[in-house]
Amino acid sequence: KYIFLYFYYKMQKEKAVLSDFNQVVYIDYKKVIDNRCLVIFDDYKLDHPNIDYEKMCQYMIDIFTSAIKESRSRQCEDFVILCYLNPKRKNSINFKSLVQILTIMKSLFKDALNKCVFVNSNKFFKITFNLILPLLDNKLKRKIKFSTLEEIKLQITNLKE
């Protein structure tokens, strides 16, 4: 009976579609880097077999637009994206997610991006990223950085509440 329930639950989870991204991509209003708004992309929260990429794309555009407004309130014209990658993931970040982030940045927010920092990238991510790298222009390539969690913590400023 329990085995049946386990497999039933697993099948239902696989049919379900992830369409709520407020835990995946969000603005951290309590932290900044160089006084710039900080957008978090949490790859740990993207472990789901079915993702509504159209909704995710629109949600990212909305978040990035809000990030520009937040940075402007701090007298900056750009924002920072921190992509927390799951280093134990064997297939790197979800490839579609990576392509979407970079496509949105390249087409809509290239001038509004100060930098995009990938934290805890593993060899699988680097292989995937190197496949996409030729599609990016030089201006966007210079804004992409790689870091460890320890290094990025030194750059983040916690704001007083």
Side-chain angles (χ1 to χ4, degrees), residues 119-147:
V119 180
N120 291 331
S121 60
N122 61 23
K123 67 180 179 180
F124 300 104
F125 176 81
K126 290 179 181 174
I127 290 168
T128 303
F129 186 78
N130 284 330
L131 293 173
I132 296 170
L133 197 59
L135 304 174
L136 305 178
D137 60 36
N138 289 331
K139 186 175 182 180
L140 192 54
K141 285 179 189 177
R142 286 190 298 273
K143 294 180 179 192
I144 295 173
K145 311 288 182 203
F146 294 90
S147 178

Side-chain angles (χ1 to χ4, degrees), residues 42-99:
D42 191 346
D43 182 42
Y44 288 87
K45 302 281 177 22
L46 208 56
D47 282 333
H48 198 280
N50 298 313
I51 298 168
D52 185 337
Y53 286 101
E54 188 174 314
K55 281 188 180 178
M56 184 174 161
C57 192
Q58 183 58 53
Y59 186 77
M60 285 192 294
I61 290 170
D62 294 344
I63 289 292
F64 297 157
T65 302
S66 297
I68 292 169
K69 291 176 186 172
E70 180 66 21
S71 283
R72 285 183 179 152
S73 74
R74 301 178 177 288
Q75 282 65 51
C76 292
E77 291 295 319
D78 49 13
F79 61 95
V80 176
I81 300 175
L82 280 185
C83 295
Y84 287 111
L85 304 175
N86 183 348
K88 294 178 183 174
R89 189 186 294 254
K90 294 279 190 269
N91 60 350
S92 82
I93 190 174
N94 186 301
F95 187 74
K96 264 186 152 178
S97 301
L98 177 62
V99 170

Side-chain angles (χ1 to χ4, degrees), residues 3 9 11 16 26 29 43 46 48 63 113 115 133 145:
I3 292 173
Y9 170 76
M11 285 178 18
Y26 58 92
Y29 289 99
D43 182 42
L46 208 56
H48 198 280
I63 289 292
L113 178 67
K115 62 184 166 185
L133 197 59
K145 311 288 182 203

